[in-house]
Amino acid sequence: MENTCPPSTGPSLKKRFACLGIACAIVALGWLAPTPEGLSFAGKMALALMVAGIFLWVTEPVPVAISGLVIMALLPAFGVLPFLNVTDAATGATTIGVWGNFISNVIFFILASFGITAALLKTKIPTKIVFALLRLTRGNARATIGAFMAAAALLSLFISDLPCTALFTGIAVSSILRVQGCARGSSNLGKALMIGITYASVVGGQAIPSGSAMNVMAMNVLAAHTGVSVSFLGWTAICLPITLVLLVFCWASVVLVFKPEPIAEETRERIERQGREAGRLEALDWKVIAIVAFTFALWVASNWTGWDINAIAVLCLVLFFVPGIDVLTWREYVASVSWNIVLLIGCVQAIAGGVREQGAASWLFGSTVGTMTVSGGTVVAATAGLLPLLRLICPVGPAFIAICLIPLAGMAPALGVSPVVFAVIVGVNASTTFLMGVDSNNMLSHRHGYWNMVDFFRAGIIPTLAMVALHATVLSPLVALAGY
């Protein structure tokens, strides 16, 4: 869906004010509209504030973190949540306030993940992975595209999709496309390679919790609202098989839709020469490898030790600064952190806490889907099919999780479905879209000029259908096999 109000980097002041006015009108309409049966006034306002927030995050007349802070601060004004935690003297029940909902373990995981990303990007590791795979492909265009996608998917297990896409598309442009002389906008090799890397970065991030902040946020929301905790190995056992199959569909789609031209022998020789010139791994590279391997081992062991994966990520971050290791400086770390994302996730968690506290999400789904007599399998299939479309309307991952996961997880027991099924579907869709080229991750490859929005949509049809089919059919059995 095209935004009627552009982001704050380029729109006129009039359009920005118009967007703010519409958001205020949404809140006012919620205030004036009659309160539906089964929903309190505070619950009604929680939904109104959520809708206003979504509109502001999509249109972005001000930075998304700022609009999130404003919506969060309005929760007490409408009786949705108190600012501070409040304990009822009679029952002993505690209502978690705005600030309590804002801070959670996922915030610390995200802060640590930025440090892990910054450390890996300082090394030769990504370049070494690419050139090692390129030597195996022997210049075959389709195999080369697959090698780049495999490398991007592998690295995206540990770093977020944005730097992964930026890194590998940059390497692709400098190592193949410019050397080959691929024309922007007309080269099928350029289109397939750049879109394929973009897809692989988000697909690889689905496989394990550390691959995407959205995975951890979905796990956190699930535990907070249902009490069901998914372990590191549990998520991996469920999602890794789907990821591997989906990656093959992504590769098949880009090479079938665009039919890449052959890679010249001269291009291959130059690439191999660049790989040799990169040199051997140095002390910094080995330090990062050792710390990341140690962290990954602790994550896997958490299935038995019970250690919190967020605390393990923080430990990894600390190790980068230990005297004698000194992988990162504080300035490098601070420069790598996207405070916009950190603040937005905290705000969305506070808003979602208000929606949960007032029972608004349960009421919304209960008065719609809950009135229909359908099987759990039907709801899972419908969810798998509809969420990729809803993702086009709500491109903000944290908000997407809050909107969709809370009510779906609440409905799961009545449907005879594990809430983990819905957590995976929602978490994966929150970080992944194969159809919308204007998503922030996708725009990182679009800026090189090798593909347009129609190209991206055409290539994304097969992966989207494959993801829907996998979630609708094999996800529930995998969740059951994992013991959830």
Side-chain angles (χ1 to χ4, degrees):
M1 187 177 79
E2 184 180 354
N3 292 345
T4 57
C5 303
S8 59
T9 53
S12 67
L13 188 62
K14 181 179 179 181
K15 289 183 177 180
R16 293 174 63 193
F17 274 119
C19 290
L20 293 173
I22 292 173
C24 292
I26 292 172
V27 177
L29 182 62
W31 174 276
L32 296 173
T35 302
E37 183 179 354
L39 186 67
S40 65
F41 171 79
K44 179 185 67 171
M45 293 311 300
L47 290 177
L49 290 170
M50 173 75 81
V51 173
I54 293 169
F55 177 80
L56 290 174
W57 296 326
V58 171
T59 58
E60 205 172 343
V62 295
V64 292
I66 297 300
S67 55
L69 287 169
V70 171
I71 296 295
M72 182 183 72
L74 287 174
L75 293 174
F78 295 103
V80 179
L81 283 178
F83 278 114
L84 302 176
N85 298 354
V86 175
T87 301
D88 188 295
T91 64
T94 299
T95 300
I96 306 299
V98 168
W99 309 125
N101 277 287
F102 180 93
I103 295 295
S104 73
N105 52 6
V106 70
I107 295 291
F108 295 97
F109 180 91
I110 292 167
L111 288 172
S113 71
F114 286 120
I116 297 172
T117 298
L120 281 168
L121 293 181
K122 286 186 66 175
T123 70
K124 298 177 182 178
I125 296 169
T127 303
K128 286 291 185 181
I129 292 173
V130 169
F131 287 120
L133 290 172
L134 284 175
R135 283 196 294 271
L136 296 176
T137 66
R138 299 182 180 275
N140 179 280
R142 286 181 170 84
T144 297
I145 293 168
F148 265 92
M149 293 179 67
L154 177 63
L155 196 62
S156 69
L157 298 178
F158 307 101
I159 69 175
S160 66
D161 53 1
L162 293 175
C164 191
T165 297
L167 175 67
F168 281 101
T169 53
I171 293 174
V173 170
S174 61
S175 65
I176 291 182
L177 301 182
R178 286 179 184 168
V179 177
Q180 178 88 353
C182 296
R184 289 182 172 87
S186 59
S187 167
N188 280 348
L189 176 61
K191 293 178 180 180
L193 188 55
M194 300 302 273
I195 294 177
I197 290 171
T198 308
Y199 287 170
S201 295
V202 293
V203 170
Q206 300 173 9
I208 66 177
S210 59
S212 171
M214 296 303 100
N215 298 345
V216 178
M217 185 173 182
M219 294 164 66
N220 186 68
V221 170
L222 179 70
H225 293 269
T226 67
V228 178
S229 296
V230 182
S231 68
F232 187 92
L233 278 185
W235 181 281
T236 305
I238 294 165
C239 295
L240 183 58
I242 294 176
T243 293
L244 295 175
V245 175
L246 187 55
L247 188 62
V248 173
F249 275 98
C250 289
W251 170 80
S253 179
V254 295
V255 299
L256 288 174
V257 171
F258 298 115
K259 296 180 175 59
E261 58 269 24
I263 297 175
E265 182 66 24
E266 179 184 353
T267 302
R268 177 186 167 189
E269 291 175 355
R270 185 167 175 180
I271 291 170
E272 291 178 352
R273 185 167 63 252
Q274 289 176 343
R276 291 191 295 269
E277 292 172 353
R280 296 182 177 181
L281 295 179
E282 299 174 353
L284 175 68
D285 306 307
W286 289 113
K287 290 176 185 178
V288 173
I289 289 173
I291 293 173
V292 171
F294 176 65
T295 304
F296 189 76
L298 291 180
W299 275 333
V300 173
S302 67
N303 212 55
W304 299 280
T305 63
W307 292 354
D308 183 69
I309 64 172
N310 307 283
I312 294 171
V314 172
L315 172 62
C316 175
L317 175 64
V318 171
L319 290 176
F320 290 137
F321 295 92
V322 170
I325 297 178
D326 295 314
V327 169
L328 289 175
T329 66
W330 183 249
R331 180 171 295 183
E332 287 172 333
Y333 170 68
V334 171
S336 73
V337 175
S338 174
W339 295 106
N340 199 42
I341 293 175
V342 174
L343 289 172
L344 176 62
I345 288 178
C347 293
V348 169
Q349 288 181 147
I351 297 167
V355 171
R356 179 194 69 238
E357 180 66 27
Q358 300 301 329
S362 300
W363 171 86
L364 182 62
F365 269 68
S367 60
T368 53
V369 179
T371 61
M372 298 182 286
T373 305
V374 292
S375 67
T378 302
V379 174
V380 170
T383 302
L386 291 175
L387 289 197
L389 301 178
L390 181 59
R391 176 67 168 74
L392 302 179
I393 302 172
C394 182
V396 182
F400 185 88
I401 291 174
I403 295 165
C404 302
L405 182 52
I406 297 174
L408 286 170
M411 291 171 52
L415 296 169
V417 177
S418 169
V420 177
V421 173
F422 294 120
V424 171
I425 296 175
V426 173
V428 165
N429 278 279
S431 63
T432 306
T433 176
F434 299 116
L435 300 174
M436 183 174 64
V438 296
D439 182 78
S440 57
N441 178 66
N442 304 339
M443 291 303 291
L444 286 175
S445 66
H446 179 265
R447 67 191 176 113
H448 293 288
Y450 286 92
W451 56 266
N452 58 39
M453 298 300 168
V454 175
D455 293 329
F456 196 89
F457 184 86
R458 287 171 56 208
I461 293 174
I462 292 176
T464 300
L465 293 176
M467 183 172 69
V468 169
L470 290 167
H471 286 169
T473 57
V474 304
L475 178 57
S476 291
L478 286 172
V479 170
L481 285 173
Y484 298 101

